[in-house]
Amino acid sequence: MELDHGMDFEDYFPYMISSLGAEGFIGELCNGFSLLMDANKGLITFESLKMNCCLLGLEVRDDELLCMLMEGDLDGDGALNQMEFCILMFRISPCLMDDGDSPKFLPQSVDPMLM
């Protein structure tokens, strides 16, 4: 399924890493996860993602939200935990990947096989 939102994407992650350092950047990703997650489940669920998109004024179709979740869901539970979210953010950032497959800035705590 191809998603086309008719908008340009500018990748600010490399700038954030140079400004915050690797640990600070990971901290900000974790803050982003916390904002999007269902507080009771500790996961980003379809419902929490949909609610937050509405709060941000984004019009995103249900099938697009499901695609986003499926893209990062490594354990097949239909939701994203913090590690899955952080890995997904690295994977979708074109500037953080060397050749499209290998991360340039990889925290030592992340297993490169998950990328």
Side-chain angles (χ1 to χ4, degrees), residues 78-91:
L80 300 180
N81 62 39
Q82 186 170 294
M83 182 62 75
E84 289 171 326
F85 176 77
C86 290
I87 289 169
L88 177 62
M89 293 298 99
F90 269 83
R91 287 178 52 216

Side-chain angles (χ1 to χ4, degrees), residues 3 8 13 18 21-22 40 44 50 74 79 81-82 88 94 98 103 110:
L3 304 178
D8 293 325
F13 285 177
S18 67
N40 294 323
I44 296 175
K50 184 170 184 162
L74 299 175
N81 62 39
Q82 186 170 294
L88 177 62
D98 281 330
V110 175

Side-chain angles (χ1 to χ4, degrees), residues 52-108:
N52 283 295
C53 283
C54 288
L55 290 173
L56 294 169
L58 302 173
E59 295 181 25
V60 185
R61 295 188 325 256
D62 287 357
D63 62 321
E64 293 174 317
L65 294 173
L66 289 170
C67 254
M68 290 178 204
L69 288 172
M70 288 180 358
E71 178 75 21
D73 183 15
L74 299 175
D75 61 12
D77 65 355
L80 300 180
N81 62 39
Q82 186 170 294
M83 182 62 75
E84 289 171 326
F85 176 77
C86 290
I87 289 169
L88 177 62
M89 293 298 99
F90 269 83
R91 287 178 52 216
I92 65 173
S93 174
C95 294
L96 292 184
M97 303 302 276
D98 281 330
D99 55 11
D101 294 326
S102 305
K104 286 182 189 176
F105 306 98
L106 184 62
Q108 292 179 344

